Amino acid sequence: MDMLGFGLSDKPQAWSYKPRAHAANFEQLMEHLQLKDVTLLVHDFGTPIGMAYAIRHPENVKNIVMLNSWTWSLSKHETFSKTSKYLVGPLGKFLHSKLNVSATDLIHDLFEEEGNMPELIKEHYVKALGKPEDHVRNLACARELIGVTKWYNELWQERKMIQQIPTLILWGERDKLVHIEALQRWKKFFHECYVIPFEEGGHFLQEDSAEEISKYVDNFVQEEQKKREPVHE
């Protein structure tokens, strides 16, 4: 799903666009839809938001599928810290709002097969933050990557609420943003964890290897469902 301020979702003026607000908004959506037995697929910035829901409502989440992600403070993460500080500085704001530089650079840096990406998909990512006048307001997300250490730490401290949930991790090993150390951290955490590495995959596996990802997710959900079915003797 596109969170508020991103992609095809609305971009209201009077909204904070901070991770905690996104998490509350996602929780309200799930409650409105009254979804149960959910397989939660999370990735990147959406992972802390999705995990916040799972931590508060573990009874509603039967599986987790994760692509390159984190759910802890990034204040000491060199790449994220530099990006966040750059984007909210005067030059970053100008380049981001007038030239869409950060989105264009992101596509170039994080997609392993940018040259093979259909133009419509590439355009969707580049223009993900909407019109130029919308961009600077949405930079709250970038600032908060390192600015909400307390919230991220609170989530990580409560992580045991989801430790027993079966989890499939699909990881692009050539990711320039979320490094392999994060994968090792997740592997140590989840009790029932299946990891499928993509040696040539980058940060956006859902675009780089869409068909493979779909098959792995489908098989995982089916196998977990079989485990829950009663055994007839």
Side-chain angles (χ1 to χ4, degrees):
M1 59 173 281
D2 289 334
M3 294 181 290
L4 280 177
F6 292 86
L8 302 178
S9 288
D10 292 339
K11 300 166 180 63
Q13 294 276 347
W15 211 70
S16 74
Y17 295 96
K18 295 182 179 181
R20 194 185 295 268
H22 280 298
N25 190 56
F26 179 66
E27 183 175 9
Q28 290 175 16
L29 173 64
M30 297 295 280
E31 290 177 351
H32 174 72
L33 296 175
Q34 297 184 341
L35 297 179
K36 309 290 183 182
D37 296 329
V38 172
T39 294
L40 194 63
L41 193 154
V42 293
H43 174 238
D44 190 72
F45 181 70
T47 300
I49 293 165
M51 291 305 196
Y53 174 81
I55 287 169
R56 287 175 57 85
H57 303 278
E59 72 281 0
N60 292 342
V61 180
K62 66 177 182 179
N63 302 309
I64 295 173
V65 177
M66 180 188 299
L67 283 68
N68 298 46
S69 305
W70 80 95
T71 304
W72 45 78
S73 171
L74 297 171
S75 60
K76 296 181 180 180
H77 190 294
E78 183 177 355
T79 302
F80 276 107
S81 181
K82 286 182 178 179
T83 300
S84 181
K85 291 175 181 177
Y86 156 75
L87 283 174
V88 297
L91 177 59
K93 288 182 177 180
F94 170 76
L95 295 174
H96 191 61
S97 63
K98 302 303 181 184
L99 304 177
N100 214 11
V101 167
S102 64
T104 303
D105 288 348
L106 190 69
I107 294 297
H108 177 72
D109 288 343
L110 298 184
F111 278 94
E112 289 301 314
E113 301 294 339
E114 179 191 355
N116 298 329
M117 186 188 303
E119 199 59 37
L120 285 176
I121 293 179
K122 180 190 256 185
E123 184 177 356
H124 181 77
Y125 277 93
V126 171
K127 296 183 178 179
L129 299 183
K131 297 176 290 185
E133 57 267 29
D134 295 324
H135 291 182
V136 173
R137 181 170 65 252
N138 296 351
L139 287 177
C141 288
R143 179 176 64 252
E144 296 301 320
L145 285 176
I146 62 170
V148 289
T149 295
K150 181 180 178 181
W151 187 65
Y152 286 139
N153 284 340
E154 288 173 358
L155 287 181
W156 192 242
Q157 289 170 6
E158 297 174 1
R159 64 191 183 278
K160 288 187 177 180
M161 296 295 296
I162 60 173
Q163 195 168 29
Q164 303 293 340
I165 299 177
T167 300
L168 171 65
I169 300 180
L170 305 163
W171 202 271
E173 295 188 337
R174 297 181 65 177
D175 191 344
K176 300 175 184 177
L177 194 62
V178 185
H179 300 156
I180 199 70
E181 290 79 12
L183 171 60
Q184 302 305 324
R185 198 168 185 177
W186 286 122
K187 287 169 65 175
K188 291 179 181 179
F189 167 65
F190 285 109
H191 285 174
E192 186 178 347
C193 177
Y194 308 94
V195 178
I196 299 176
F198 289 73
E199 293 183 2
E200 301 300 318
H203 187 69
F204 290 100
L205 283 178
Q206 67 270 34
E207 300 295 351
D208 292 339
S209 308
E211 290 188 10
E212 285 184 83
I213 295 297
S214 179
K215 290 178 182 177
Y216 281 126
V217 172
D218 186 51
N219 289 338
F220 170 66
V221 171
Q222 289 187 37
E223 289 300 317
E224 290 303 315
Q225 182 60 37
K226 289 179 183 179
K227 294 179 183 178
R228 296 182 177 94
E229 293 174 354
V231 178
H232 300 286
E233 295 182 357

